[in-house]
Amino acid sequence: MSILIDETTRLLVQGITGKEGAFHTLRNRDYGTNVVAGVTPGKGGQDVDGIPVYETVAEAVDATGADTSLIFVPARFAADALYEAADSGVELLVLVTEGIPVLDMVSAVGYLRGTSSVLLGGNCPGLISPGKANVGIIPGEICMRGSVGLISRSGTLTYQIVHELTQRGIGQSTCVGMGGDPVHGIGFVDALRRFEADPETESVVVIGEIGGSDEEQAAAFISQEMTKPVVAYVAGLSAPPGKRMGHAGAIVTGSSGTAQAKVDAFEAAGVRVGRNPTEVAALVAA
Amino acid sequence: MSILIDETTRLLVQGITGKEGAFHTLRNRDYGTNVVAGVTPGKGGQDVDGIPVYETVAEAVDATGADTSLIFVPARFAADALYEAADSGVELLVLVTEGIPVLDMVSAVGYLRGTSSVLLGGNCPGLISPGKANVGIIPGEICMRGSVGLISRSGTLTYQIVHELTQRGIGQSTCVGMGGDPVHGIGFVDALRRFEADPETESVVVIGEIGGSDEEQAAAFISQEMTKPVVAYVAGLSAPPGKRMGHAGAIVTGSSGTAQAKVDAFEAAGVRVGRNPTEVAALVAA
Amino acid sequence: MDLFEHQGKEIFARHGISLPPAAVAETPEEARRAAERFGGRAAVKVQVQIGGRGKGGGIVLAKSPQEAEESARRMFERGFGGMAVTRVLVESLVDIASEFYAALTLDRSRGTYIAMVSSKGGVDVEEIARTDPATIRRVAVDPRIGLKAYQVRYLTGHLPEEARSGTASLLPKLYDVLIASDATLVEVNPMALLRDGTVIPLDAKVTVDDNALARQPEVAALRSSFPVDPTQARANDEGLQYVKLDGEVGIIGNGAGLVMSTLDVVTQAGGRPANFLDVGGGASAEMMATSLEVVLSDPAVRSVLVNIFGGITRGEVVARGLLDALERVDADMPIVVRLDGTNAEEGRRILEEAANPRIVPAPTMLEAAARAVELARTSPEGVHG
Amino acid sequence: MDLFEHQGKEIFARHGISLPPAAVAETPEEARRAAERFGGRAAVKVQVQIGGRGKGGGIVLAKSPQEAEESARRMFERGFGGMAVTRVLVESLVDIASEFYAALTLDRSRGTYIAMVSSKGGVDVEEIARTDPATIRRVAVDPRIGLKAYQVRYLTGHLPEEARSGTASLLPKLYDVLIASDATLVEVNPMALLRDGTVIPLDAKVTVDDNALARQPEVAALRSSFPVDPTQARANDEGLQYVKLDGEVGIIGNGAGLVMSTLDVVTQAGGRPANFLDVGGGASAEMMATSLEVVLSDPAVRSVLVNIFGGITRGEVVARGLLDALERVDADMPIVVRLDGTNAEEGRRILEEAANPRIVPAPTMLEAAARAVELARTSPEGVHG
């Protein structure tokens, strides 16, 4: 087992003919992911190194049974790509595109709640179930199959921590990069719930950063519902306080948003917190 | 048992202080329905013959545990009343108001799909589980507790048929008036599914009319999923064909919309069809 | 409310949709002058609130201003499909490469809007929908999101290459018309690809939601241009749904379903309904009185059947309204009254006490129908108040 | 992007929101003349992209044009909160009956917008939110439906009777500003009930989504009025996220999380970061070169730590960018480079072959941080290219 993707995943790539789209699609396929189709409007009938390109997601799903979509389209087309994939019955949408307007994401996330599709991202590196499937831009060679589940708001910081785990011989069940955008799909709590239910996952690493209140919510969930051990890391302990415009954000979250507040919340929930990526790996090993 | 409402229903009335609202609220209460609250903005703190009036639905639900709302507000406020009730966690929304713009209903029905609230109406007479609860404007005195479930697109035609059943000593489990508006909440199929699952209901009467394709869908559902006997009636056999503007409607439904086509669909599904309300009651009695 | 083609096109134009030059003519002479302005050749199109003009001779391609004038005259004189014609649209001819079909309408069964594009248009698209469904692409449209870009690509993807981008830019504008005008139908048949590469609507069928007219005052104002029957207009003004039919038994009921069912039982009893009249929910005494006046204004009526089953409508109100009406109109024919439901007993008592000889009470709907049919047969002909 | 108060208010005005008469002044004299126009007494308000003006002396109620001029002069000279001040807003005084608070912003945790109204305003509303939460009412707003009428009634239901209808008509306009401007914050503190019964915003804090500036050209154009640091501007032009800090270890990384973590480990190693610089995903050689130039332009920098873990960013591109930059800038300080991830081996090989003496390879992030901190201590001071 693993969460969200595995060897049965049938991957479709929206925006497959773009430069980054083609590059990462082929890397994902080289990793062993079952990439069954691509979609680029106006390029239906072409192929990308043997992967058939369709005009619409519906056609691609009909022809190939794709159940997961990896999305690389430009930011201004991102919401539409989500609508198309969800309306076509794709189960998991992995949105790598960055720079998507917040209003588009609020509308799309609201729309997706009324469907059976699950979103990861946007502005996210995707996810990997090592040895099974890699969907996104996480470098597969730094990962190793094992029993640690990992969920992160960061991109490259995730790679860093995965790398440290792998170097200690600690493998991962699934590494999930949820992305750092303020409005996003799967968050800490969703991923933690899935890891808690996944038989292959024995412990979980949560990688947070300053801003928002995702970590505080994760801490609350962990203390109430998690039985598996959790190690956390929060980037930005030495970050200077940002310049503040208004009060509304603080009223909404009821949180200061500082890294220290998040570390405190995790520790109060019984989560061990590493001071740096290396210490995180050491705590998992301990 | 019965469907949707029974003696445990806790009823709230939106627009309780209006003329029709107050009249039917008191009739419903006289019938024995547990009317716990009313809502009229600007009149919070008042009461209607002892029923407390609140400023907002949320307050009313908090204070009284209301789980069903009967809505009498003017048409231009109807969609907002639905949003308020759904956002406040009310489970069943019974919308009596007529004349609501289609666009408002399309938006509201789409919104409600993303909530756990169930809508009946608009432009509907409501529903009654005889001897248990009456929510709406169906005259309770014509009904009798029993085992026939009834679902109808019509208002007064429903009363007529219920009346005929009762006069023959045939009681009803629940009589549901879904309303005749083109975009509505609970339809034939929803009600049939509930009646099929309801232990108290032994047979079902479906009352349709010309236009749309609800009856054809009901016929398909009955032939595939219903085990309980169904008797149908379709009003409008002698109606002259309407003057037609475009082709789109016929393309969408794939149906002529005539009463005869609906009768044929029912009969093909093994449903006995009465030629008039009296014959419907006779078929149920047979 | 069904708009004339030219009214639909005026709304189209306000949403930035290109259209052929055209002019509305209310006389044959105006039609001739318009055709002159467009270079002599022009399409003359009858303006009616029904479809079927193409097959029914409602569209004439005139080769000269004289022909345009003559065609218009014929249209004004003969009407179309039984409806009076008060205006025609004279439209400059365009150079058509191919014709398609586009429509946005309500999908009642799903509770959403639906957009459709057919790669064949200008012909019987219902027949096409049955025999060759692949030519029609359709998508559901959620007004909370609008017509999505991918849907427009899909809808236009089966059109010839050269028609795609023109159609793709037209569809969102048609959708804007649908939403901004509270329409339940925006149909363009044919939608034409011209030789110059543009895609334009050659027809416009727009139906506006009657329930939304209060917030669409500009659209509602277009009603004043529709040909109206004075009886119909009086009924509508009172909020009554009245449709004139060909029989002799006048029918008044409350609720469309019950009235339709009453028509059915009258037909089954061997009579012919003279009309459909729904007084609606919660009818006032005044509405009942007007209903009776409206029905009695039809000289073919021999008897009247009033079939009321009260919910919001109350029996005593119905009874008083009928008695009021009988004081105002001299109805020398039997009025069979069947009352049940809310306060029906009080209503029956009021009628009984009034003891008006015209009022014939009936205990059931079937008996009421039988009695009304029988009385229509025996009622003296042609004596009206 | 945070707007100045006066820019937010200009957007408010375009959405039909009433505001006190006001004028922007870019010199003390302009401030005096504006105060004269408003009858002598006026509020002089520093225009900055941060909050805290009320407590921090950024708002002066001037009793005369002279006082307005002097206040404006002090503001221009001293700046506010460490930021340069290039303009002040001079605003006519209004007759305030009471003050409230209203805001629309993003609720990240729910993925929706949220609207809030507090019956107490003009003071520390965060403190109120903690100590007296019942004074703040909040509702979630779905942009597919908008601010619902019942929500507006709820939001205003705890205000004094006389302020309710004015606030109820203001809130939908503020919501329109939020959506039409792609804002993530529209905050009004205080929102004032005037003695004449009207409710108006006395302040306007508007933050616009940076990701939406491409479709908000009018808003984006307001950037030209913001005080900018040239180094910052150069970084932004290249799509780099650069924040100047107070230390001596220059930091370049890819991805905000990794860069923050790099700051943390440098701090933990006893050093002080000189900056935060995120080259973003898929950095080009040119972006790497510009990054190095930007970091080196800070005279306090003694060593640089380049920490790249490649995903979209590729190791060989990073390596070439660094080598390019070292040909353009004369960097006489050590550049500790740690590369991992996509094509990292190739990148390391390129750097090794180039054998540039400035480049100090490091195998791990912790070792890189320790080395950069150590080299910053031993690096010669003040010798820059």
mmCIF file of all heavy atoms in Angstrom, chain C residues 294-312:
data_model
loop_
_atom_site.group_PDB
_atom_site.id
_atom_site.type_symbol
_atom_site.label_atom_id
_atom_site.label_comp_id
_atom_site.label_asym_id
_atom_site.label_seq_id
_atom_site.Cartn_x
_atom_site.Cartn_y
_atom_site.Cartn_z
ATOM 1 N N VAL C 294 -64.111 36.095 -17.826
ATOM 2 C CA VAL C 294 -63.251 35.739 -18.960
ATOM 3 C C VAL C 294 -63.834 34.536 -19.689
ATOM 4 O O VAL C 294 -63.967 34.531 -20.916
ATOM 5 C CB VAL C 294 -61.808 35.448 -18.475
ATOM 6 C CG1 VAL C 294 -61.010 34.694 -19.546
ATOM 7 C CG2 VAL C 294 -61.096 36.743 -18.101
ATOM 8 N N VAL C 295 -64.211 33.516 -18.934
ATOM 9 C CA VAL C 295 -64.737 32.302 -19.570
ATOM 10 C C VAL C 295 -66.051 32.590 -20.280
ATOM 11 O O VAL C 295 -66.288 32.135 -21.402
ATOM 12 C CB VAL C 295 -64.891 31.177 -18.515
ATOM 13 C CG1 VAL C 295 -65.687 30.007 -19.096
ATOM 14 C CG2 VAL C 295 -63.525 30.713 -18.039
ATOM 15 N N LEU C 296 -66.903 33.393 -19.656
ATOM 16 C CA LEU C 296 -68.215 33.677 -20.234
ATOM 17 C C LEU C 296 -68.127 34.595 -21.448
ATOM 18 O O LEU C 296 -69.063 34.667 -22.253
ATOM 19 C CB LEU C 296 -69.143 34.293 -19.181
ATOM 20 C CG LEU C 296 -69.537 33.342 -18.046
ATOM 21 C CD1 LEU C 296 -70.396 34.078 -17.016
ATOM 22 C CD2 LEU C 296 -70.293 32.131 -18.596
ATOM 23 N N SER C 297 -67.000 35.295 -21.581
ATOM 24 C CA SER C 297 -66.852 36.196 -22.740
ATOM 25 C C SER C 297 -66.669 35.396 -24.033
ATOM 26 O O SER C 297 -66.721 35.948 -25.115
ATOM 27 C CB SER C 297 -65.675 37.144 -22.522
ATOM 28 O OG SER C 297 -64.463 36.429 -22.613
ATOM 29 N N ASP C 298 -66.458 34.100 -23.922
ATOM 30 C CA ASP C 298 -66.318 33.248 -25.110
ATOM 31 C C ASP C 298 -67.722 32.823 -25.536
ATOM 32 O O ASP C 298 -68.409 32.097 -24.819
ATOM 33 C CB ASP C 298 -65.465 32.028 -24.736
ATOM 34 C CG ASP C 298 -65.375 31.011 -25.871
ATOM 35 O OD1 ASP C 298 -65.983 31.236 -26.946
ATOM 36 O OD2 ASP C 298 -64.687 29.996 -25.669
ATOM 37 N N PRO C 299 -68.191 33.255 -26.720
ATOM 38 C CA PRO C 299 -69.574 32.980 -27.118
ATOM 39 C C PRO C 299 -69.865 31.496 -27.341
ATOM 40 O O PRO C 299 -71.030 31.101 -27.374
ATOM 41 C CB PRO C 299 -69.744 33.771 -28.419
ATOM 42 C CG PRO C 299 -68.352 34.058 -28.899
ATOM 43 C CD PRO C 299 -67.475 34.068 -27.702
ATOM 44 N N ALA C 300 -68.843 30.684 -27.474
ATOM 45 C CA ALA C 300 -69.086 29.254 -27.712
ATOM 46 C C ALA C 300 -69.434 28.495 -26.437
ATOM 47 O O ALA C 300 -69.893 27.361 -26.491
ATOM 48 C CB ALA C 300 -67.847 28.626 -28.358
ATOM 49 N N VAL C 301 -69.207 29.130 -25.283
ATOM 50 C CA VAL C 301 -69.399 28.422 -24.016
ATOM 51 C C VAL C 301 -70.886 28.170 -23.754
ATOM 52 O O VAL C 301 -71.709 29.067 -23.874
ATOM 53 C CB VAL C 301 -68.769 29.226 -22.853
ATOM 54 C CG1 VAL C 301 -69.209 28.663 -21.504
ATOM 55 C CG2 VAL C 301 -67.257 29.211 -22.968
ATOM 56 N N ARG C 302 -71.210 26.899 -23.411
ATOM 57 C CA ARG C 302 -72.601 26.510 -23.133
ATOM 58 C C ARG C 302 -72.818 26.179 -21.665
ATOM 59 O O ARG C 302 -73.924 26.205 -21.162
ATOM 60 C CB ARG C 302 -72.995 25.279 -23.958
ATOM 61 C CG ARG C 302 -72.989 25.475 -25.444
ATOM 62 C CD ARG C 302 -74.209 26.266 -25.886
ATOM 63 N NE ARG C 302 -73.974 26.773 -27.226
ATOM 64 C CZ ARG C 302 -73.413 27.948 -27.501
ATOM 65 N NH1 ARG C 302 -73.067 28.761 -26.537
ATOM 66 N NH2 ARG C 302 -73.225 28.329 -28.755
ATOM 67 N N SER C 303 -71.752 25.748 -21.011
ATOM 68 C CA SER C 303 -71.823 25.505 -19.568
ATOM 69 C C SER C 303 -70.424 25.743 -19.013
ATOM 70 O O SER C 303 -69.448 25.742 -19.763
ATOM 71 C CB SER C 303 -72.267 24.068 -19.259
ATOM 72 O OG SER C 303 -71.241 23.151 -19.600
ATOM 73 N N VAL C 304 -70.390 25.959 -17.691
ATOM 74 C CA VAL C 304 -69.089 26.195 -17.065
ATOM 75 C C VAL C 304 -68.907 25.168 -15.959
ATOM 76 O O VAL C 304 -69.854 24.851 -15.235
ATOM 77 C CB VAL C 304 -68.992 27.619 -16.488
ATOM 78 C CG1 VAL C 304 -67.643 27.829 -15.793
ATOM 79 C CG2 VAL C 304 -69.206 28.660 -17.581
ATOM 80 N N LEU C 305 -67.680 24.662 -15.865
ATOM 81 C CA LEU C 305 -67.344 23.744 -14.788
ATOM 82 C C LEU C 305 -66.283 24.409 -13.917
ATOM 83 O O LEU C 305 -65.188 24.722 -14.399
ATOM 84 C CB LEU C 305 -66.820 22.426 -15.371
ATOM 85 C CG LEU C 305 -66.141 21.454 -14.412
ATOM 86 C CD1 LEU C 305 -66.965 21.229 -13.146
ATOM 87 C CD2 LEU C 305 -65.931 20.110 -15.118
ATOM 88 N N VAL C 306 -66.641 24.673 -12.664
ATOM 89 C CA VAL C 306 -65.672 25.238 -11.714
ATOM 90 C C VAL C 306 -65.234 24.099 -10.793
ATOM 91 O O VAL C 306 -66.065 23.544 -10.067
ATOM 92 C CB VAL C 306 -66.295 26.388 -10.897
ATOM 93 C CG1 VAL C 306 -65.295 26.911 -9.875
ATOM 94 C CG2 VAL C 306 -66.762 27.511 -11.822
ATOM 95 N N ASN C 307 -63.964 23.744 -10.873
ATOM 96 C CA ASN C 307 -63.462 22.604 -10.109
ATOM 97 C C ASN C 307 -62.318 23.076 -9.209
ATOM 98 O O ASN C 307 -61.210 23.321 -9.667
ATOM 99 C CB ASN C 307 -62.959 21.516 -11.074
ATOM 100 C CG ASN C 307 -62.565 20.247 -10.329
ATOM 101 O OD1 ASN C 307 -62.949 20.053 -9.166
ATOM 102 N ND2 ASN C 307 -61.795 19.390 -10.990
ATOM 103 N N ILE C 308 -62.635 23.248 -7.940
ATOM 104 C CA ILE C 308 -61.657 23.816 -7.007
ATOM 105 C C ILE C 308 -61.372 22.823 -5.899
ATOM 106 O O ILE C 308 -62.284 22.345 -5.221
ATOM 107 C CB ILE C 308 -62.210 25.117 -6.361
ATOM 108 C CG1 ILE C 308 -62.532 26.172 -7.420
ATOM 109 C CG2 ILE C 308 -61.221 25.646 -5.316
ATOM 110 C CD1 ILE C 308 -61.349 26.807 -8.094
ATOM 111 N N PHE C 309 -60.081 22.512 -5.717
ATOM 112 C CA PHE C 309 -59.685 21.723 -4.568
ATOM 113 C C PHE C 309 -58.737 22.597 -3.751
ATOM 114 O O PHE C 309 -57.611 22.857 -4.172
ATOM 115 C CB PHE C 309 -59.027 20.416 -4.983
ATOM 116 C CG PHE C 309 -59.217 19.351 -3.934
ATOM 117 C CD1 PHE C 309 -60.005 18.243 -4.179
ATOM 118 C CD2 PHE C 309 -58.654 19.496 -2.665
ATOM 119 C CE1 PHE C 309 -60.213 17.286 -3.207
ATOM 120 C CE2 PHE C 309 -58.857 18.557 -1.692
ATOM 121 C CZ PHE C 309 -59.643 17.438 -1.945
ATOM 122 N N GLY C 310 -59.175 23.044 -2.620
ATOM 123 C CA GLY C 310 -58.452 24.095 -1.899
ATOM 124 C C GLY C 310 -57.227 23.630 -1.143
ATOM 125 O O GLY C 310 -57.265 22.608 -0.460
ATOM 126 N N GLY C 311 -56.157 24.388 -1.287
ATOM 127 C CA GLY C 311 -54.987 24.240 -0.425
ATOM 128 C C GLY C 311 -54.765 25.631 0.128
ATOM 129 O O GLY C 311 -55.329 26.003 1.156
ATOM 130 N N ILE C 312 -53.980 26.438 -0.590
ATOM 131 C CA ILE C 312 -53.895 27.867 -0.275
ATOM 132 C C ILE C 312 -55.243 28.525 -0.618
ATOM 133 O O ILE C 312 -55.740 29.379 0.096
ATOM 134 C CB ILE C 312 -52.737 28.540 -1.062
ATOM 135 C CG1 ILE C 312 -51.394 28.189 -0.405
ATOM 136 C CG2 ILE C 312 -52.925 30.048 -1.117
ATOM 137 C CD1 ILE C 312 -50.204 28.915 -0.989
#
